[in-house]
Amino acid sequence: MGLLLHKDDKHPRELSLWEALKEGTKVVLGIESTAHTFGVGVASSDGRILANENRVYKPPKGGIHPREAAQHHARVAPETLRAGISRAGISLSELDGIAFSVGPGLGPCLRTGATIARTLALSLNKPLIAVNHSVAHIEIGRLLAGCRDPMVLYVAGGNTLVVTFSAGRYRVFGETLDIAAGNCLDAFGIKAGIGPMPMPELMAEKAKSFVQLPYTVKGMDVSFSGLLTAAFLKLKQGVALEDVCLGLTETVYSMLTEVTERAVAYTAKKEILVVGGLARSKRLREMLDTMARERGAEVYTIPDEYAGDNGAMIAWNGVLQLLSGMVVDVEDSRVKPRMRIDEVDVKWFG
Ligand code: MG
């Protein structure tokens, strides 16, 4: 704690007290609740993450049931909030704003987090800040990985995007046409009985041969649902689980690397930032590294703690929005389950 960077620096460093005072430090509490994670983070405008407390809902069987995940969030909220505040070492009255994930995400989960954020903002009389979850993944990545203007690959259980900043917004270069990359791997692992990521990737390391599976890149977009079905079919036909895992993970990562490479080629960006839960994948990082080296670019990865959904990223994005005057009235703070990343004016970029 206490590191972190100044936007002109490539590598994180501590801000001097003088610099922090000069900037009039603001402290924001952020609430994340788009899917399986209920998170509370606290971040300050000098680039410090003061707290990052996350509680992850683990379904007893299968994937996430939105209502049950929302009930989990409501149940763990008081304890998580207390833990976040006490870790940050501040009192609620010292906060300068309350941020929450407004979308995209699962409706019941979003509403649970939003209700808590509104209640806090009203009772403490603090500004309310509605944060786009995908933008927050990118901004915490830029902060912690220390890159400035990257081509971003955002890969997770619910999202697959290739985006970069251009003319005031994060613009989508490529995305999935059906399910997310992380969802494809998680769903396969769960149904095959080994569990979600990283299990399919670990299993792939034991493979003896490579299984060819459908590779679907359409222009800049990717599609994973046919691939998932084909992988199940191979399993049913008696192909070894390890070999199917290898075919599946290599195919998913190759598709992602191809569209990212094309986006980098179009834009001549020299930085590639990987964020989202799948940013933890060693093999994906390896493939991207190889591609980047050939293009004279560099891959930036986020520390594992901040790769998946977390409260700190909402708090940090809340700081950026607060400093840009992007706050909302409670009446206008309805959640947006299908919100797109390119709806957001990214006024703080620079
Ligand atoms: Mg996410």
Side-chain angles (χ1 to χ4, degrees), residues 30-35 98-115 117-118 128-136 313-315 317-318 321 326-341 343-344:
I31 295 174
E32 159 59 26
S33 73
T34 52
I98 308 292
F100 70 102
S101 274
V102 70
L106 304 169
C109 298
L110 287 169
R111 282 192 287 276
T112 304
T115 304
R118 289 181 198 119
L128 183 65
I129 307 159
V131 169
N132 177 292
H133 176 88
S134 310
V135 171
M313 70 184 199
I314 305 304
N317 216 90
Q321 288 187 216
M326 297 171 68
V327 300
V328 285
D329 292 328
V330 168
E331 307 83 73
D332 302 326
S333 66
R334 192 168 302 163
V335 299
K336 300 175 182 170
R338 298 198 164 272
M339 188 183 195
R340 283 182 61 87
I341 194 168
E343 288 176 36
V344 183

Side-chain angles (χ1 to χ4, degrees), residues 268-280:
K269 301 251 171 168
K270 290 295 171 204
E271 300 168 323
I272 299 166
L273 173 65
V274 199
V275 297
L278 213 52
R280 297 191 187 108

Side-chain angles (χ1 to χ4, degrees), residues 149-207:
D149 185 14
M151 180 57 66
V152 182
L153 174 61
Y154 167 28
V155 271
N159 294 279
T160 304
L161 287 174
V162 178
V163 294
T164 199
F165 181 84
S166 178
R169 292 186 179 195
Y170 284 111
R171 309 286 173 178
V172 178
F173 276 68
E175 62 191 315
T176 180
L177 297 170
D178 40 57
I179 59 173
N183 187 6
C184 175
L185 298 178
D186 288 344
F188 180 81
I190 290 168
K191 239 180 147 184
I194 53 174
M197 282 294 282
M199 291 316 295
E201 186 165 322
L202 295 177
M203 203 54 114
E205 289 169 10
K206 298 182 193 138

